[in-house]
Amino acid sequence: MLSERFKKLTSTLRFRLMGWMIVVVFGLVVVAMLGVRQIYRTRLLTEFDQGLLSDVKVLAQEIRQTYPDRERLHQKLDDIAFTHPLQAWFAEVYDDSGNKVVAGGYHPNLPPFSRDESTLPHDVLPYRLLAARLEEPGMPPMYVRVGGDRQSLEDDLRLLDQTMIVRGLAILLLAPLGGYILALRATRPIAWIIATAARLQPSRLDERLPIRGTGDELDQLSQTINGLLDRIADYIDRNREFVANAAHELRSPLAAIRSSVEVALNRQRSPEEYATLLGEVMEECQYLSNLVNRLLILAEGDAGRLGARNQTARLDKIVRESLDMFEAVAEAHEVPLQASPLPPALVPGDEFHLRQVVRNLLDNAIKFSLPGKRIRVALHVEAPARRAVLTVEDEGIGISAQDLPHIFERFYRGDKARQRLPGRASSGLGLSICQTIVQALEGSIEVASVAGQGSLFKVTLPLADNLSVSPSPPEHVESPAA
Ligand code: ADP
C-alpha cells in the first residue's frame, strides 16, 4: 500500500521535475565550488611564491651587506625568520660547489642541496621552496634556498573546503524545497487542466480550460484542448441536430402509414379501397426506404467508409443512364434535357454512389426548373489535370444569396424550395449526400447560382489511374422534350 503510494508519487511529473532540479542545482553548485577552490588555490600558491621570490631578493641584499661575515649573516637570517609571516621559514646559502655556507631560521629536514635543483618554486613536502643562483660583483657565485612550511596554505584551503561543504549541504537541503515549490508552480496549471478535463462530459461540453494569459506552452495546450472541445461540441451538436431532423423526417411517413392502416382496419372495406390504402402505404414505405438509404450514405461518409476502395466506374456511362432515366420526368416537366458529348471518363468510386450524385443533381435541376427552360449536362475530361468535370446547368428558379451558403447542409431546404415543394417531396439531403460522396472520392462540388436565373453545379473528380481516353464517338442526346 505504502510502496504503491510511493510509486505513484515518484511517477508524477512534479516529483520528476523536483528530482531533476535537485540534480541540476547540486551539479552546478559542485562545479562552481570546485572552480572557486581551484582559483583560490592558484592565488594562494602565487602569493606564496611571490613571497619566496622577494625573500631571495632580500637575501641577496643581506649577503652583499654582510659578506664575508657569516656570523652576521646567520644573525640576520634568524632575525628575518623571527618576523617572517611564513611558518617554519628557512634560508640556506651554499657556495658554488654546493656546500652549505650558512643557514638561518627553521632547520627543515630536506634532501641535500644540488646545483641542479629546480629554480622554480617546488614542493618537498611539507615545505615549499625556491632556489636561486646569486652572482654579485666582488663575490664568488653562491646559491640560496628559501622556503617555508606550506601548512598555512593547506589550512586556508581546508577552511575554504569546510565553508563550501557546509554551504553545499545547506543547498542540498534547500534544493528539494525550492524544487518542490518550483515544480508545484509549474505543474499547478496542469492540475487545473486535469481537473477540468475530468469534469467534462459529452452532455456538458460547455466548460473550457482556463487561459492564464501568460502565452506559455501550458496556455497553448489549454487553447488547443479548448479548440478541440469546440470542435467536439460542434460535432455533437450537429449530430444531435441530424438525429432530431432524421427522426422528424421519419415521423411523417410513419404517421401516414399508421393512419392508412388505421383507416383500413376501422371497418370492412371494398377490395378497391384496400388497394388504394395499400398503395399509399407502399408509397410511404418507398419514401422511407429512400430516406433510410440516404441517411446510411451520410453515416458511412461520417465514418470514413465512402472512399473509392480501389473501385472505378465509368462516369460517362452513369451520366448517360441517368439522363435516360430522367428523360420521361423532364419531358413531363417540359424541361428540355440536353447533354453535350460525353467522353469516356474512368473515375474512382463505386457506381451506386456516383449514380446518387448525378441523379440528385438532375433531380434538383428538373425540380427547380420552370416549364420551357433548358437543362444542360456536360462532361469534360481534363487529361493534363487528371480530372473529370461534370456540369449540370439549369435556367430554373436559382438560389438566393441567403440560401446559397447553406444548401450543402444536411436537411437544408431553401425558402423557395419549401414554398414550391411543400411536404416531403424534398428532404434537404440530396446535396449534402453529393458533397459527402464527392469529397470521399477526393473530388469537389461547387455551385454558382443567381436567383431567378438558374444554377450551375460543377462536380470535379480525379481520374482513375488506368484511364484510357478512348476516341469513341461522342454522344449527343437531347431529350424528346427539347
Ligand atoms: P433536396 O434533397 O430536398 O432536393 P438538396 O440538398 O438537394 O435537397 O437541396 C437543398 C436546397 O438547395 C433545395 O431545397 C433548394 O433550395 C436548393 N437547390 C438545390 N438545387 C437547386 C437548383 N438546381 N435550383 C435551385 N435551387 C436548388
Side-chain angles (χ1 to χ4, degrees), residues 168-206:
L169 282 176
I171 288 169
L172 194 62
L173 288 177
L174 287 176
L177 188 68
Y180 181 76
I181 293 170
L182 281 178
L184 196 69
R185 278 183 66 94
T187 55
R188 191 175 294 150
I190 300 179
W192 284 345
I193 294 176
I194 293 170
T196 316
R199 278 200 302 274
L200 291 172
Q201 300 282 338
S203 54
R204 256 189 65 202
L205 275 179
D206 49 340

Side-chain angles (χ1 to χ4, degrees), residues 6 36 82 117 126 137 148 153 162 209 212 243 248 250 256 272 291 311 322 366 373 375 401 406 416 435 479:
F6 181 72
V36 168
F82 190 66
E117 188 168 310
L153 198 139
Q162 281 165 1
L209 300 176
R212 292 163 306 137
V243 171
H248 181 78
L250 291 169
E272 292 76 29
L291 184 62
Q311 289 168 293
S322 304
I366 297 169
K373 301 285 184 183
I375 294 173
H406 304 289
K416 286 206 171 135
Q435 191 181 49
S479 81

